[in-house]
Amino acid sequence: MDQDNEKEFSIGWTITIATIICVVLWVGGMFLTQWYADNHFEFNSSEGNKYALFGDSFGSVNALISAFAFAGVIVAIVIQRNELRLQRKDLELQREEFKTQNETLHLQRFENTFFNMLSLQQEIVNNLYFKQINKENIVEDAPDPSQGRLVKEVIVDKIIQGRELFRFSFDEIIHHFKLENGEKKNVGGMRRFLHFKGLESYDDSYTPSYFDHYFRHLYTIIKFVDKSNFLSFEEKYKYTTMVRATLSRYELVWLYYNGLSLVGKQKFKKLIEKYSLLKNIREDLLTLSKENANIITTKGYDLQLLFDNGYSGTDYNFWLTAADNDNEKYYIGAFYKGDNLEEARRIVSEWDTFYNNTLR
């Protein structure tokens, strides 16, 4: 029996029982009054009919019935009060249900937008395109066999598409620039460019512009999750983990340097640290930028010093800090989370000791 049937059952039986009691009292009172009149009153003709007197005495029963009627009103009030209380409970349950439905709709809209954005991000990656024109020498037979073989210069187009462009641009694309002494230099990839020109020249290079749309949209996805206030931090972290899972190893390398760039430090860096977006980065794929290379060379050391002390010889340790308000370095939260933060603090402490005792 459901709750509504229980209500009907309770109210119906209450009314029935109250009616039966009133009828029994009325009939019983009538007979009781008649019996009492027959046995205790003496009548004569001058005094009138004894049943007329009986009718007058029945007013006491009317008073009794009126009292029970008043009691019935009280019962009705109690029943109505209970009904109102049950209605309030029903309304509360409805509000809770509406709240749950509203939260579900919020989540459905969020996930629909989120996964559409994630899909668009992958389209942006797939549509990355770069064409490099190279000159190559090929050897072929001369028209005149007596001339032997000839070396011929040809133009070869090298097309790089999709995710491969992240690796190619960091390791191979030729960068042209001038050194401080005015000497022109050509190096392969952003890796070598940062080594000779430093992170301060990152924004001056044309290579990061290949990924402008990519980084703007990636930032928009993370910001969208971060601003969804109906989600808990753990839920937000879960969704940003899905984003991080789509990033290749060289995407993480580019994200690392983009976050330290002038634009990245203003917007993206805090979100990278908040959601540990660099958690899976391979530090050995980073370069050693000019700023950090100079720290070593001015002390008369080379990279072997770092290798001998168990370090990767890249920018990783130079730009890692346990202070969450340092805008020039990455807070350890960008790479570590939860219990691993203590391990990260130990790594930073060991590096600081090595740096202060050896390189400072």
Side-chain angles (χ1 to χ4, degrees):
M1 182 180 294
D2 59 23
Q3 187 176 7
D4 290 338
N5 290 335
E6 288 178 358
K7 292 179 188 176
E8 294 175 0
F9 176 84
S10 177
I11 294 171
W13 272 100
T14 300
I15 295 174
T16 301
I17 292 172
T19 302
I20 292 173
I21 292 173
C22 287
V23 170
V24 170
L25 288 174
W26 178 70
V27 174
M30 182 177 63
F31 282 106
L32 178 63
T33 302
Q34 183 178 358
W35 172 83
Y36 188 82
D38 287 338
N39 290 278
H40 296 281
F41 289 105
E42 294 293 336
F43 297 98
N44 54 44
S45 58
S46 61
E47 292 175 335
N49 191 297
K50 67 176 181 179
Y51 290 105
L53 186 59
F54 163 74
D56 292 336
S57 66
F58 197 68
S60 62
V61 177
N62 291 337
L64 181 62
I65 296 301
S66 297
F68 277 104
F70 179 71
V73 171
I74 295 176
V75 171
I77 292 173
V78 172
I79 292 174
Q80 187 179 26
R81 180 174 177 273
N82 290 336
E83 284 293 313
L84 291 174
R85 179 175 57 81
L86 292 174
Q87 287 178 4
R88 284 196 297 270
K89 286 185 177 180
D90 287 341
L91 289 174
E92 289 176 3
L93 291 174
Q94 289 177 5
R95 282 195 293 269
E96 288 297 323
E97 184 177 353
F98 288 147
K99 181 180 178 182
T100 302
Q101 290 176 352
N102 192 39
E103 291 174 351
T104 301
L105 289 174
H106 267 296
L107 183 61
Q108 288 176 346
R109 286 197 294 267
F110 166 81
E111 289 194 341
N112 184 56
T113 303
F114 173 77
F115 287 113
N116 283 336
M117 295 175 75
L118 202 58
S119 177
L120 178 56
Q121 183 71 11
Q122 296 313 301
E123 288 184 25
I124 293 172
V125 172
N126 295 335
N127 291 330
L128 290 174
Y129 177 90
F130 176 79
K131 182 169 73 173
Q132 180 171 277
I133 300 176
N134 296 326
K135 293 180 179 180
E136 294 185 4
N137 294 326
I138 62 172
V139 179
E140 59 181 22
D141 294 333
D144 184 352
S146 63
Q147 295 179 343
R149 297 170 67 84
L150 300 177
V151 177
K152 183 179 179 180
E153 186 177 75
V154 297
I155 302 297
V156 177
D157 292 341
K158 185 173 184 179
I159 297 176
I160 308 298
Q161 288 182 290
R163 198 164 260 110
E164 173 62 14
L165 184 57
F166 291 99
R167 185 207 63 79
F168 183 79
S169 59
F170 196 75
D171 284 339
E172 296 187 34
I173 287 181
I174 301 301
H175 288 69
H176 310 278
F177 58 91
K178 288 183 179 181
L179 296 175
E180 294 176 355
N181 59 10
E183 176 188 352
K184 293 182 179 180
K185 193 170 185 64
N186 301 329
V187 296
M190 178 59 74
R191 178 188 302 279
R192 301 292 293 166
F193 177 81
L194 292 175
H195 182 74
F196 283 98
K197 292 289 289 181
L199 183 64
E200 63 181 8
S201 298
Y202 175 92
D203 294 297
D204 298 330
S205 172
Y206 54 83
T207 310
S209 63
Y210 301 154
F211 308 113
D212 282 348
H213 188 195
Y214 169 87
F215 281 118
R216 282 197 302 270
H217 194 262
L218 182 61
Y219 168 74
T220 301
I221 296 175
I222 304 302
K223 183 179 178 182
F224 170 69
V225 176
D226 185 61
K227 294 298 182 181
S228 299
N229 295 327
F230 66 94
L231 297 175
S232 66
F233 175 77
E234 288 72 20
E235 290 171 325
K236 293 178 182 180
Y237 189 85
K238 179 188 70 175
Y239 287 107
T240 57
T241 299
M242 296 180 190
V243 179
R244 188 180 69 219
T246 68
L247 304 179
S248 65
R249 57 184 182 175
Y250 276 97
E251 285 178 79
L252 291 173
V253 170
W254 273 102
L255 180 60
Y256 176 91
Y257 287 108
N258 181 267
L260 291 174
S261 67
L262 181 61
V263 175
K265 285 189 289 188
Q266 294 174 346
K267 294 183 176 181
F268 209 170
K269 181 173 176 288
K270 284 298 180 183
L271 292 178
I272 292 173
E273 294 169 339
K274 185 175 182 178
Y275 295 108
S276 306
L277 293 184
L278 297 175
K279 183 179 179 181
N280 298 323
I281 197 170
R282 283 180 49 182
E283 58 183 277
D284 58 297
L285 293 180
L286 302 174
T287 187
L288 184 65
S289 298
K290 179 183 177 182
E291 297 90 340
N292 298 325
N294 287 345
I295 293 174
I296 299 174
T297 56
T298 54
K299 288 290 185 176
Y301 298 115
D302 57 22
L303 285 179
Q304 192 60 45
L305 173 69
L306 298 180
F307 298 149
D308 291 343
N309 284 274
Y311 298 109
S312 62
T314 67
D315 291 324
Y316 180 78
N317 289 104
F318 284 94
W319 286 327
L320 183 66
T321 178
D324 60 2
N325 59 350
D326 190 338
N327 203 38
E328 301 303 318
K329 297 181 179 181
Y330 272 118
Y331 172 60
I332 52 178
F335 310 92
Y336 303 90
K337 184 179 182 294
D339 296 338
N340 292 329
L341 286 175
E342 289 303 317
E343 173 66 12
R345 290 188 179 91
R346 183 190 63 79
I347 292 173
V348 171
S349 177
E350 290 180 355
W351 167 259
D352 289 342
T353 300
F354 167 77
Y355 180 86
N356 293 328
N357 294 340
T358 308
L359 300 176
R360 195 169 181 177

